[in-house]
Amino acid sequence: MATNRKKPEKAYKNLQFLTSPEARPIRILAEFTEPSVRFRKFGIHSTVVFFGSARVRPHDVAKKELKVIADAYEEHPSEELEKELSAARLRLRLSKYYEDATELARLLTEWAIEKGNGKQALYVCTGGGPGIMEAANKGAYLAGGKSIGLNISLPHEQEPNPYISEELGFEFHYFFMRKYWLVYLAKALIIFPGGFGTLDELMEVLTLLQTGKIHRPLPIVVFGQDYWQEIIDFEAMARWGTIAFNDLNFFKFVNSAEEGFHYLKKHLEKWVTSDLDPENEVRFSR
């Protein structure tokens, strides 16, 4: 009989098993439970979530990129460089939203700390990556507050931005669990110009509100009317009858950080002045 046989490993320490297809339910449960435990530990009940493009650059970076391409085009004009020049000009226009997201996050965080008498009662939350996400986390950092980053592992790896509070940085594998945590604690959503991902989040939340799956009031600010009205015609959807005209009241267009801040303050007042236990709130239909 063999006496030097290796002791069997406990299932929850068996990495080969835990990363197998059969253990998928365990991994999903972990991405539900671990954030829940951490949010409770740090007393986080309320968030304001910023969505927007990961490709938006800070203004100074976009300006430098434009100059490099413009100089190259002037020296050696070509159809390809002309397209790059046009794209760079649009990126410079988009860069204003990086600055706006930073300022709005700063205003909200400063206000939340002030209303909480030094204790932060409202947290900026983002998808954790670059662009608008980085800008919002940066704004909270500049205000002297903490902020949340719910990063996602992607084939072209998305690195967490440096402004996320270290203890509130998360790394998700499953998009749907990340979406759950983006919305579950949210008391408001702010939608900056973005692509497929931003549209996905906006439309999913609008659908949950429209169908009554989210019961609580959830203000949605759509930032940058000139961008969004070119991208999607919400009023046309209402005219065609695919949504109701009342559905247009689920969101409000704003065009400056100050406008967004003053609108959101009215809706967020109760969340920064109340000790309401979040477990007693009705968030989603059951």
Side-chain angles (χ1 to χ4, degrees), residues 94 97 192-195 223-232:
L94 278 175
Y97 296 116
F192 276 84
F223 204 108
Q225 198 164 358
D226 56 343
Y227 174 84
W228 285 110
Q229 288 191 332
E230 183 178 342
I231 300 304
I232 183 167

Side-chain angles (χ1 to χ4, degrees), residues 84-136:
E84 288 187 29
L85 186 59
S86 177
R89 286 173 178 149
L90 286 174
R91 284 198 298 272
L92 183 61
R93 284 181 62 188
L94 278 175
S95 70
K96 76 175 288 292
Y97 296 116
Y98 184 102
E99 316 305 328
D100 287 334
T102 301
E103 178 64 6
L104 182 52
R106 184 189 68 79
L107 289 170
L108 285 167
T109 303
E110 284 184 350
W111 174 71
I113 294 171
E114 179 186 343
K115 296 294 286 187
N117 295 318
K119 180 181 178 183
Q120 189 173 344
L122 189 72
Y123 292 77
V124 165
C125 178
T126 77
I132 294 297
M133 297 173 279
E134 175 184 288

Side-chain angles (χ1 to χ4, degrees), residues 13-235:
K13 291 185 176 181
N14 185 338
L15 191 59
Q16 184 176 357
F17 165 68
L18 289 175
T19 57
S20 69
E22 291 77 11
R24 185 175 291 116
I26 298 170
R27 296 195 299 275
I28 292 170
L29 187 59
E31 291 201 347
F32 170 79
T33 305
E34 195 274 340
S36 178
V37 169
R38 220 187 312 173
F39 287 136
R40 283 176 176 273
K41 176 181 177 181
F42 292 105
I44 296 174
H45 303 156
S46 302
T47 63
V48 176
V49 182
F50 283 68
F51 293 115
S53 176
R55 303 182 186 190
V56 174
R57 274 83 154 165
H59 182 77
D60 58 339
V61 174
K63 191 173 181 179
K64 287 177 184 176
E65 288 179 351
L66 175 58
K67 186 179 185 311
V68 169
I69 296 171
D71 289 347
Y73 180 75
E74 187 175 343
E75 190 172 344
H76 300 290
S78 69
E79 186 176 342
E80 184 178 346
L81 277 174
E82 187 176 5
K83 290 179 181 177
E84 288 187 29
L85 186 59
S86 177
R89 286 173 178 149
L90 286 174
R91 284 198 298 272
L92 183 61
R93 284 181 62 188
L94 278 175
S95 70
K96 76 175 288 292
Y97 296 116
Y98 184 102
E99 316 305 328
D100 287 334
T102 301
E103 178 64 6
L104 182 52
R106 184 189 68 79
L107 289 170
L108 285 167
T109 303
E110 284 184 350
W111 174 71
I113 294 171
E114 179 186 343
K115 296 294 286 187
N117 295 318
K119 180 181 178 183
Q120 189 173 344
L122 189 72
Y123 292 77
V124 165
C125 178
T126 77
I132 294 297
M133 297 173 279
E134 175 184 288
N137 289 121
K138 180 180 179 180
Y141 172 81
L142 292 175
K146 295 185 179 298
S147 68
I148 302 161
L150 307 182
N151 201 54
I152 183 84
S153 300
L154 299 174
H156 304 290
E157 193 169 355
Q158 175 180 300
E159 292 294 332
N161 71 68
Y163 298 103
I164 301 164
S165 300
E166 187 174 2
E167 66 272 32
L168 299 176
F170 297 81
E171 186 75 18
F172 286 85
H173 177 78
Y174 297 104
F175 262 113
F176 68 93
M177 285 310 312
R178 179 184 184 234
K179 284 182 176 183
Y180 174 86
W181 283 115
L182 281 167
V183 177
Y184 186 64
L185 299 176
K187 302 304 184 292
L189 305 182
I190 304 169
I191 313 294
F192 276 84
F196 291 154
T198 304
L199 281 168
D200 175 49
E201 299 287 359
L202 172 60
M203 293 305 176
E204 182 160 5
V205 173
L206 287 174
T207 301
L208 291 171
L209 288 167
Q210 182 192 54
T211 56
K213 295 298 183 181
I214 294 178
H215 288 297
R216 71 186 187 279
L218 185 64
I220 300 175
V221 165
V222 180
F223 204 108
Q225 198 164 358
D226 56 343
Y227 174 84
W228 285 110
Q229 288 191 332
E230 183 178 342
I231 300 304
I232 183 167
D233 191 338
F234 291 102
E235 290 191 1

